[in-house]
């Protein structure tokens, strides 16, 4: 094809489509036959070697165009094509004899095709959600399939009956399946990186079919639709299970115990997606998101061949059962044949090898102590091989430095859980095979990044198109990966790509009195922007140096705050800014419980409004942070629990929504956009990764639902309504809004609960509900029902509450208990009505009792009038009671 030799002095470079390279170091001629050829549309694809109808060798491919295609592996010509699926075909498995192929599709079906007959053979089984993974047992009797359902089916191919139904209740999607070559176990990985091993054939009396012997989180996290497969692969002899690790490495588990061996392969710079053992078990092929493919000599931990820049993630690979050929297919749907994949100086991948050539477990055991002279000699031989390939292969970091430590006793250290990586709220990660994604999406508008060849742009659009019209497209020269949309403008940020390319912060105002409506700032060398936010008068960014940098809308530096831990994310609203950071290392076994802290600042007054821990579900990660329409801080974690912070109890978080309980189907995900006191605004998607620009997402408004427990003889709707009304009142009080409407709604919901308790004869519960009323008139309103129902005890209890009710705004003054006016002795005598002072004049002093009242001076009459006015009649206690209780007659 277009392959050419770049030089003639030993180290050759093979260029495919002028873009893909395969490097050699030892003068061997490594070629790739032909160019990368179009096979299917972009998306999850798969490839395998098989036997065509003519009996000749061929390759079978499948992809997102619903087709299963059989080709001549030499010429690439299509021999047969099957279109029986109605949706994308995600994976396939070829029978051991090579004449049948089973497929897993988004149309929920598993089908089998006959290559010998050249057509559809039978339906194997159906699921209720897309099928993502499939495997065929080595004896040809069973097929295992799984996907976005919560179970894996193991089907007997003879009669298509389900032999095992293996539950994966915590998994959203099964990414890969692998039968043990001996038929005793079945391995699987899921989207969370968990690795499972089930027993199919018990080896002892303590085991039963379907028992789980391994459930550990080992592999990277991958979404259901992503081509990142997290493939687990058994060595052909069944002694070793290889699994992609979370450190861009390969981990090895020993059969039986399934303990991790102290043996890893590490050279990739991004998560590993695909593992394929060579037919003789000597070599292992790894494909990574860094767009490279490496072939390893596992025992020597040496990379013997490497292909760089495969244009896209390689999501399918197959070793040919004879010769030295590997078939590859990538996320763009392009496929290629890699001839002479293993250089000639090494043993062929299909040649028969002794057990000692692939056994590295004994080498680990020999290292558990001191290594003998023979082992040291073997290390010396390996070092000579390393020197020959030093200019080509990429080894595990510090391998030679570690070789000396292998001669000492090895101590196994259990890997601890990893802290959550920083993220930008409301930014969608890139999708494989798509050149468009949301850099930001909120209630104001959206920022969409588009990559077309070497040109990138960011398009901003308001949801309300009448507002300022369309903002001009932003040319992306920096490679922006995150964005945020505020009331006054939008901000973008690009990461630090290397030591020479600095991290950039960009901001554009919607309206400006000057001609300079945009600006950008470069971060210092070595400082990377992790998340950004904007508000009414500020723009902020948190960086890898644990700095919170705050700027004005014009780009002036306002403040720099040093955080106490590694930043996770930030968000803003008006004058408020919230930042989350790691307070401590995760707790418990992997993946562990994240320990996150938060702080809320008021940037106008330079004050701190709140501070504390971020509540998360067990072993969950923070996925969303934002402010509600009322200004309440809200969060959502990876389990789908949404929480809102209020000022109750000095600042507490209330669970207001559970995505898992609200899903109509298992494949639904609620991508949170915003909240209010009563509503969750979200986009319902098929994956947890988020929405795509095409088709345009639809914003759903769902009522909040608190996890209330319904008491006996109560009604769930009433309990839920009362809980939501109480939350709305708490939000109104916390935000400083007018609480009258919220208070009225809360009282009405409580009255309904009171009536339900009365009808159910739950008088104690009704009394407790009555005590929560904040308005005195509510007590009068609920008194009628128990009175009609002749519930006298409850009527008496409510009357007591009415008598002791306190007017929130008293209009009468009450003397304190400690003050008691001195009693005044007043003696009254009959007097003529014509004299209004006659009765008051009857009052005489004890020292002059016989003196006539009409002869008293005017000053004494005045004193008597004052004494009458200040006298307490009939008693101080009764007067006080009447002043306090407005309902007393």
């Amino acid at each position: 094809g277009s392959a050419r030799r770049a030089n003639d002095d030993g180290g050759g470079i093979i260029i495919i489509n002028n873009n893909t390279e395969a490097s050699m170091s030892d003068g061997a001629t490594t070629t790739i036959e032909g160019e990368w050829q179009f096979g299917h549309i972009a998306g999850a694809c798969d490839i395998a070697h098989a036997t065509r109808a003519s009996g000749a060798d061929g390759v079978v491919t499948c992809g997102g165009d619903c087709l299963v295609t059989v080709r001549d592996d030499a010429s690439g010509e299509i021999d047969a094509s099957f279109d029986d699926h109605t949706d994308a075909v995600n994976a396939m498995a070829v029978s051991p004899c090579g004449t049948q192929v089973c497929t897993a599709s988004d149309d929920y079906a598993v089908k089998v095709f006959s290559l010998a007959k050249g057509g559809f053979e039978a339906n194997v089984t159906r699921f209720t959600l897309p099928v993502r993974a499939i495997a065929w047992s080595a004896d040809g009797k069973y097929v295992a399939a799984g996907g976005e359902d919560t179970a894996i089916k193991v089907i007997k191919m003879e009669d298509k009956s389900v032999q095992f139904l293996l539950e994966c209740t915590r998994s959203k999607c099964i990414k890969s399946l692998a039968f043990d070559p001996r038929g005793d176990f079945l391995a699987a990985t899921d989207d969370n990186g968990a690795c499972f091993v089930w027993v199919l054939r018990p080896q002892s009396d303590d085991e039963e079919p379907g028992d789980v012997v391994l459930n550990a989180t080992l592999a990277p996290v991958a979404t259901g639709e992503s081509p990142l497969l997290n493939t687990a692969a058994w060595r052909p002899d069944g002694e070793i299970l290889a699994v992609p690790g979370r450190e861009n490495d390969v981990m090895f588990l020993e059969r039986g115990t399934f303990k991790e061996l102290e043996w890893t392969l590490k050279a990739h710079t991004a998560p590993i997606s695909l593992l394929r053992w060579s037919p003789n078990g000597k070599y292992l092929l790894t494909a990574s998101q860094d767009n490279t493919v490496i072939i390893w000599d596992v025992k020597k931990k040496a990379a013997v061949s490497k292909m760089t820049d495969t244009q896209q993630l390689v999501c399918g690979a197959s070793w040919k059962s004879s010769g030295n050929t590997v078939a590859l297919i990538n996320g763009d749907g392009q496929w290629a044949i890699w001839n002479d994949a293993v250089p000639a100086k090494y043993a062929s991948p299909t040649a028969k090898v002794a057990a000692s050539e692939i056994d590295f477990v004994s080498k680990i055991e020999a290292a558990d102590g001191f290594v003998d002279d023979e082992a040291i000699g073997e290390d010396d031989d390996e070092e000579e091989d390393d020197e020959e390939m030093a200019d080509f292969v990429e080894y595990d970091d510090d391998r030679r430095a570690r070789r000396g430590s292998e001669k000492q006793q090895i101590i196994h250290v259990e890997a601890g859980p990893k802290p959550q990586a920083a993220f930008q709220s409301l930014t969608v990660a890139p999708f494989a095979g798509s050149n468009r994604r949301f850099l930001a999406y909120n209630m104001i508008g959206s920022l969409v990044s588009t990559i077309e060849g070497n040109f990138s742009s960011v398009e901003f659009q308001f949801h309300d198109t009448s507002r300022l019209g369309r903002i001009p497209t932003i040319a992306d020269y920096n490679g922006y990966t995150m964005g945020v949309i505020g009331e006054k403008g939008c901000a973008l940020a690009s990461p630090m790509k290397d030591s020479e390319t600095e991290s950039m912060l960009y901001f554009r105002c919607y309206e400006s009195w000057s001609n300079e409506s945009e600006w950008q700032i470069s971060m210092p060398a070595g400082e990377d922007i992790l998340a950004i936010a904007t508000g009414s008068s500020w723009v902020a960014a948190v960086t890898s140096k644990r700095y919170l940098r705050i700027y004005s809308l014009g780009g002036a530096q306002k403040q720099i705050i040093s955080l106490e831990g590694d930043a996770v994310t930030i968000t803003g609203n008006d004058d408020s800014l919230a930042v989350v950071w790691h307070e401590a290392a995760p707790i418990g076994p992997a993946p562990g419980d994240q320990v996150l802290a938060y702080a809320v600042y008021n940037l106008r007054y330079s004050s701190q409004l709140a501070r504390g821990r971020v509540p998360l579900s067990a072993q969950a990660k923070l996925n969303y942070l934002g402010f509600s329409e009322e200004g309440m801080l809200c969060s959502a974690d990876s389990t789908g629990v949404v929480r809102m912070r209020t000022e109750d109890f000095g600042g507490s978080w209330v669970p207001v929504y559970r995505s898992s309980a609200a899903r109509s189907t298992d494949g639904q995900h609620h991508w949170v956009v915003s909240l209010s006191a009563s509503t969750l605004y979200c986009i319902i998607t098929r994956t947890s990764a988020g929405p795509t620009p095409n088709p345009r997402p639809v914003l759903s408004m769902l009522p909040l639902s608190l996890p209330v427990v319904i008491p006996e003889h109560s009604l769930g709707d009433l309990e839920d309504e009362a809980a939501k009304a109480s939350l709305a009142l708490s939000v109104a009080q916390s935000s400083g809004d007018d609480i009258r409407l919220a208070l009225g709604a809360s009282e009405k919901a409580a009255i309904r609960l009171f009536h339900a308790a009365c009808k159910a004869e739950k008088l104690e519960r009704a009394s407790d509900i009555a005590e929560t009323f904040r308005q005195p008139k509510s007590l009068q309103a609920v008194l009628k029902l128990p009175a009609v129902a002749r519930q006298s005890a409850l009527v008496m209890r409510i009357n007591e509450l009415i008598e002791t009710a306190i007017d929130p705004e008293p209009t009468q003054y009450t003397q304190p208990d400690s003050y008691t006016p001195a009693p005044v002795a007043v003696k009254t005598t009959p007097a003529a009505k014509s004299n209004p002072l006659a009765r008051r004049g009857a009052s005489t002093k004890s020292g002059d009792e016989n003196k006539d009242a009409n002869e008293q001076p005017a000053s004494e009459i005045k004193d008597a009038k004052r004494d009458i006015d200040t006298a307490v009649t009939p008693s101080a206690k009764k007067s006080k009671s009447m002043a306090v209780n407005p309902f007393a007659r």
Side-chain angles (χ1 to χ4, degrees), residues 68-262:
V68 179
T69 306
V70 185
R71 291 181 170 88
D72 186 331
D73 60 353
S75 64
E77 294 182 359
I78 296 178
D79 190 47
S81 184
F82 314 130
D83 58 357
D84 295 81
H85 283 289
T86 59
D87 210 335
V89 184
N90 300 309
M92 63 184 182
V94 175
S95 64
C97 63
T99 60
Q100 292 176 298
V101 58
C102 253
T103 55
S105 171
D106 274 355
D107 62 8
Y108 314 155
V110 176
K111 300 177 183 290
V112 60
F113 299 88
S114 173
L115 303 184
K117 298 177 182 178
F120 171 75
E121 186 171 304
N123 287 314
V124 179
T125 189
R126 286 192 64 85
F127 288 80
T128 58
L129 289 171
V131 192
R132 303 285 182 189
I134 195 166
W136 208 315
S137 64
D139 58 9
K141 295 181 178 179
Y142 301 98
V143 164
E148 296 183 14
D149 273 14
T150 58
I152 296 171
K153 294 181 182 180
V154 180
I155 302 105
K156 187 176 181 181
M157 292 301 291
E158 183 180 1
D159 56 5
K160 309 300 185 294
S161 61
V162 177
Q163 297 296 299
F164 301 101
L165 192 64
L166 308 174
E167 295 290 341
C168 306
T169 55
R170 293 190 176 183
S171 301
K172 297 178 183 176
C173 179
I174 298 299
K175 298 294 293 182
S176 74
L177 292 165
F179 276 102
D180 165 27
R182 304 180 193 176
D184 298 334
F185 302 103
L186 176 67
T189 56
D190 69 2
D191 57 326
N192 295 319
C195 182
F196 308 92
V197 176
W198 289 275
V199 174
L200 299 182
R201 289 195 305 206
Q203 304 299 304
S204 65
D205 295 336
D206 297 333
E207 294 179 342
E208 293 183 2
D211 283 353
V212 179
V213 293
L214 175 66
N215 182 357
T217 303
L218 305 173
V221 176
T223 60
E225 296 180 348
S226 169
L228 185 66
L229 301 177
N230 284 350
T231 305
W234 295 88
R235 200 169 67 183
D237 63 355
E239 289 294 334
I240 300 295
L241 177 65
V243 182
R246 293 201 163 189
E247 296 290 339
N248 307 332
D249 57 353
V250 182
M251 305 169 60
F252 298 95
L253 309 178
E254 188 176 19
R255 180 189 183 88
T257 61
F258 295 101
K259 291 182 178 179
E260 180 184 346
L261 299 173
E262 292 294 328

Side-chain angles (χ1 to χ4, degrees), residues 289-490:
Q289 278 189 320
D290 60 10
N291 293 344
T292 63
V293 179
I294 297 178
I295 296 177
W296 300 85
D297 185 324
V298 180
K299 184 175 181 180
K300 294 183 178 180
K301 290 188 179 180
V304 300
S305 191
K306 179 178 180 180
M307 179 186 294
T308 61
D309 194 8
T310 58
Q311 302 178 16
Q312 268 288 350
L313 169 68
V314 171
C315 51
S318 173
W319 292 86
K320 196 171 183 179
S321 58
S322 61
N324 186 8
T325 300
V326 177
L328 304 170
I329 193 167
N330 64 22
D332 281 338
Q334 297 179 326
W335 68 281
I337 299 295
W338 188 1
N339 283 330
D340 298 326
V342 177
K345 69 171 289 185
Y346 301 100
S348 170
T350 57
K352 188 175 182 180
V353 296
S356 59
E357 293 188 46
I358 64 174
D359 178 26
F360 59 84
V361 177
S362 58
K363 193 172 182 179
I364 298 174
E365 294 172 350
D368 190 10
F370 291 98
V371 183
D372 57 18
D373 295 338
E374 183 179 352
I376 295 174
E378 187 177 346
D379 286 343
D380 294 338
D381 294 339
E382 290 181 14
E383 192 159 336
E384 292 176 4
D385 293 339
D386 296 343
E387 292 173 358
E388 293 178 5
M389 302 183 65
D391 60 340
F392 152 52
V393 297
E394 298 179 9
Y395 288 47
D396 194 359
D397 296 333
D398 302 326
R399 180 183 173 204
R400 292 186 178 88
R402 212 174 55 241
R403 179 172 280 113
S405 65
E406 290 179 354
K407 300 175 184 179
Q408 302 175 359
Q409 186 174 4
I410 295 177
I411 301 175
H412 178 74
V413 179
E414 191 71 24
K418 298 177 183 178
Q420 174 182 353
F423 72 96
Q424 177 69 36
S425 284
L426 302 178
T427 291
V428 180
F431 284 89
S434 175
N435 64 339
R436 288 167 57 84
R437 70 180 177 107
F438 285 114
L439 293 184
Y441 187 102
N442 63 11
M443 301 297 288
I444 300 173
S446 63
L447 285 167
V448 178
S449 171
T450 303
I451 301 175
E452 296 179 353
N454 295 326
F455 177 75
S456 300
S457 63
V458 178
E459 178 185 356
F460 177 77
Q461 187 174 2
F462 287 110
H463 297 317
D464 181 5
T465 55
S466 64
R467 177 179 177 180
L468 297 179
R470 181 182 292 271
I471 302 297
T473 299
I474 302 170
D476 183 5
Y477 301 109
N478 301 313
Y480 299 123
T481 59
M482 65 188 79
V484 63
I485 303 170
E487 286 292 336
K488 299 294 183 65
C490 61

Side-chain angles (χ1 to χ4, degrees), residues 172 190 218 323 332 390 406 423 455 508 621 632 635 662 708 724 750 792 799 813:
K172 297 178 183 176
D190 69 2
L218 305 173
D332 281 338
E406 290 179 354
F423 72 96
F455 177 75
R508 170 177 280 185
K621 294 181 179 180
M632 301 291 101
S635 70
V708 296
K724 289 190 289 187
S792 56
N799 282 325
Y813 173 73

Side-chain angles (χ1 to χ4, degrees), residues 613-629:
R613 284 272 189 93
V614 179
L616 295 171
S617 303
Q619 298 187 340
K621 294 181 179 180
L622 183 66
N623 278 358
Y624 167 83
L625 186 74
F627 284 93
S628 70
E629 293 180 350

